[in-house]
Amino acid sequence: MMTPLQTARDNARVISRLEKLLNRLPALVYRCRIVGGQQYVLEYASKGSIDLLGMTPESLVEAQVNTIERMTHPADLKRLQQVEHDSIVAHRPWQIIYRVQLPGGHIKWVWDQGEAIYGEDGTPLYLEGLMMDVSEQKFQEIALQDENRQLRLSMENSQGLGPLVGKSEAMRRVYSLILKAAETDASVIIYGETGSGKDMVARAIHNYSGRKGAYVPVNCGAIPENLLESEFFGHTRGAFTGAATAKEGFVAAADGGTLFLDEIGELPINLQVKFLRVLESKSYTPLGSNAQKTSHFRLVAATNRDLAALVREKKTRADFYYRINVLSITLPPLRERKEDIPLLIRAWEERNAIDLALPQGVRVAMSRYDWPGNVRELHNFLDRYATFGSSVTECLGTPEVEIPPVEDGLSLSEALSQVEQAIILKTLEKCRWHRGRTAEALGINLRTLQRRMKALMLGEGRGGK
């Protein structure tokens, strides 16, 4: 049987080992004594205080006050005190991120998690916790939020968001969702018809998210089913016939970045099961290996199919659907945002350094055409028009151009002026007298429109730009 002296020595050794362990942690471990219910006195601080707060444990403790609380940024102090108080009353741990001011005036963001220690009668006696420096992550988050805020403001005066073009209300909703998605790590699914620009939306989410890893696009419908598992998870040498060398898959390539799965509705059930496990655990096993690997990727998926209907048809697993359908973005087809066509034409011209000088008749036909292939079809049409000229407009149909009636007895010049006046007036009314949009609709520049309006005595006393 151990003597009291031996017991005391063993306890001292345990405490010494424990203190060495705490001092090796890349964090500050602390203990405060609760005095009078609301006052806290710092009794212990680990050596993590030197890196975190720039102060030794001794200097923190010697003041016999809660030095850490006194270093808390004034704007965060009340929130910290409220969180601690509520947690003590509810007998539950707390977690909170707030700012501290170092002796030299430098600001750090810390993650503080702790809980109260209670006596036998339920009275709170101590606060014990751990603090870590999360400044880098927090400052990146703030910078991203500021950048997205500026993007929202600039969208009012721009023709789109990044490579995406359009100022219609439908596209503005899409831009807002892109910026919202960029601020989180949640899975995103993009719905839209073929050619509507789903890949561009996925790239925009990745670019604005600030993720340091790669953007890895995968067309699920273009990979043979027998190669899907190898392509996604990689394989070791000799894992199957023809595997002469080891290969990393898409999941490994997207570590720290974004994995974009286009046509995700084509993913077979058996791979959905395996991919679901990867999404939940961020771990996977290459073919031919027993060693698990990890990949912290962000998933963005896209489809032109109704995934909910595929779930009902048992072609998509319900648990897989709900795991990827956290935040959804629906891209409008071009036929539902035809007011963006002039902007899309201009963007194509600027990108290709070509002035197509499309006649008004062609622009009218383009505005009446439904564009089943969406923006991709529009770009294809413009490519062919630049090469072959107006002969390619047959695919748009031959819409009738309404010629307003003219008075009898007018000369040709007078009749043309009357027709021109009627066309410009009708277009102005359609565009609610917004001169910029009217010029785009007519296929002329703003100065020409203003000059013709003045010559035809249109627009006096009207608003618009």
Side-chain angles (χ1 to χ4, degrees):
M1 184 173 178
M2 295 179 63
T3 65
L5 179 59
Q6 290 173 322
T7 300
R9 286 176 179 172
D10 283 349
N11 288 341
R13 292 192 192 100
V14 171
I15 292 172
S16 177
R17 287 197 296 268
L18 179 60
E19 189 163 4
K20 285 181 180 179
L21 176 63
L22 295 178
N23 284 329
R24 291 194 187 103
L25 291 175
L28 165 60
V29 179
Y30 64 86
R31 178 184 176 102
C32 291
R33 186 175 75 255
I34 302 176
V35 181
Q38 292 291 329
Q39 299 298 318
Y40 310 133
V41 176
L42 186 64
E43 285 191 342
Y44 172 80
S46 68
K47 290 185 178 179
S49 66
I50 298 173
D51 288 336
L52 182 63
L53 302 178
M55 297 179 67
T56 64
E58 295 77 15
S59 61
L60 287 173
V61 173
E62 66 183 2
Q64 290 295 297
V65 295
N66 188 357
T67 313
I68 298 174
E69 186 178 88
R70 293 193 174 188
M71 297 177 71
T72 302
H73 193 286
D76 297 336
L77 182 56
K78 286 186 178 180
R79 181 168 59 92
L80 171 62
Q81 292 173 334
Q82 189 64 50
V83 167
E84 289 177 337
H85 175 267
D86 293 346
S87 298
I88 292 171
V89 172
H91 286 238
R92 57 176 170 78
W94 70 79
Q95 290 188 31
I96 183 173
I97 295 176
Y98 57 93
R99 290 164 289 182
V100 292
Q101 291 180 312
L102 275 57
H106 185 63
I107 298 291
K108 278 190 176 181
W109 285 90
V110 297
W111 177 54
D112 186 345
Q113 59 173 340
E115 60 182 328
I117 306 299
Y118 304 87
E120 293 182 359
D121 61 351
T123 302
L125 304 177
Y126 298 97
L127 299 183
E128 293 182 347
L130 178 144
M131 297 172 62
M132 296 181 64
D133 184 358
V134 292
S135 300
E136 182 178 356
Q137 302 95 306
K138 192 64 180 179
F139 286 135
Q140 285 180 351
E141 178 186 328
I142 293 171
L144 179 62
Q145 290 173 349
D146 288 342
E147 181 182 352
N148 286 346
R149 195 175 299 113
Q150 292 300 320
L151 282 169
R152 286 189 178 96
L153 291 173
S154 65
M155 277 195 298
E156 292 296 326
N157 301 314
S158 70
Q159 63 177 16
L161 179 68
L164 293 160
V165 177
K167 293 181 69 174
S168 61
E169 187 60 34
M171 287 305 292
R172 289 189 183 279
R173 287 195 295 270
V174 170
Y175 302 152
S176 179
L177 289 172
I178 288 173
L179 297 176
K180 180 180 179 181
E183 294 177 356
T184 74
D185 287 327
S187 297
V188 180
I189 186 160
I190 306 164
Y191 294 97
E193 295 180 3
T194 299
S196 57
K198 296 186 290 294
D199 176 70
M200 296 175 71
V201 171
R203 286 181 184 273
I205 292 172
H206 172 75
N207 291 338
Y208 292 125
S209 71
R211 297 183 71 88
K212 296 179 180 179
Y215 173 79
V216 181
V218 180
N219 188 330
C220 298
I223 305 173
E225 187 170 344
N226 63 325
L227 295 179
L228 277 170
E229 190 171 351
S230 170
E231 291 295 315
F232 272 96
F233 308 129
H235 60 257
T236 60
R237 180 181 178 183
F240 52 85
T241 304
T245 60
K247 177 185 176 181
E248 286 193 335
F250 300 131
V251 171
D255 187 17
T258 301
L259 180 63
F260 172 56
L261 301 186
D262 197 7
E263 296 187 30
I264 197 168
E266 305 299 325
L267 212 58
I269 291 285
N270 66 315
L271 195 66
Q272 290 177 25
V273 176
K274 295 179 179 179
F275 200 74
L276 182 60
R277 296 189 189 126
V278 178
L279 288 174
E280 292 174 344
S281 66
K282 298 300 181 184
S283 62
Y284 66 99
T285 305
L287 282 178
S289 172
N290 294 321
Q292 277 199 340
K293 294 188 174 183
T294 59
S295 177
H296 298 279
F297 62 89
R298 196 267 183 86
L299 177 68
V300 178
T303 182
N304 58 9
R305 304 178 68 181
D306 184 350
L307 285 189
L310 293 180
V311 171
R312 292 191 294 270
E313 296 168 9
K314 307 298 183 183
K315 295 179 180 179
T316 296
R317 289 176 58 96
D319 51 1
F320 181 71
Y321 167 71
Y322 291 119
R323 187 63 179 80
I324 65 175
N325 196 44
V326 178
L327 176 62
S328 64
I329 299 175
T330 301
L331 268 175
L334 187 54
R335 64 182 173 274
E336 293 180 6
R337 60 180 188 105
K338 288 185 178 180
E339 62 266 42
D340 289 332
I341 289 177
L343 287 176
L344 289 163
I345 294 172
R346 184 192 304 164
W348 184 95
E349 291 177 329
E350 291 175 354
R351 185 170 60 254
N352 293 278
I354 297 174
D355 182 5
L356 291 176
L358 293 170
Q360 179 61 18
V362 174
R363 290 179 178 268
V364 170
M366 291 177 71
S367 69
R368 295 183 178 182
Y369 184 61
D370 274 345
W371 301 103
N374 294 294
V375 178
R376 184 182 297 154
E377 183 184 4
L378 174 66
H379 287 164
N380 181 268
F381 169 79
L382 296 174
D383 289 338
R384 289 185 289 116
Y385 189 93
T387 304
F388 301 109
S390 59
S391 61
V392 302
T393 59
E394 293 179 0
C395 67
L396 304 178
T398 54
E400 298 179 2
V401 179
E402 297 179 7
I403 304 297
V406 297
E407 300 174 11
D408 294 333
L410 296 179
S411 66
L412 178 61
S413 176
E414 291 171 336
L416 289 174
S417 293
Q418 193 175 88
V419 170
E420 182 184 16
Q421 184 183 49
I423 292 174
I424 292 177
L425 181 59
K426 185 175 182 179
T427 308
L428 281 165
E429 290 173 347
K430 183 179 180 181
C431 296
R432 299 183 180 180
W433 285 81
H434 190 292
R435 292 177 176 82
R437 287 198 290 267
T438 301
E440 288 179 351
L442 292 171
I444 59 179
N445 61 49
L446 183 58
R447 285 189 177 182
T448 300
L449 174 63
Q450 291 171 333
R451 187 169 60 251
R452 296 309 302 152
M453 287 177 64
K454 184 176 181 181
L456 298 168
M457 293 183 291
L458 292 173
E460 294 182 3
R462 297 275 187 171
K465 299 179 180 180

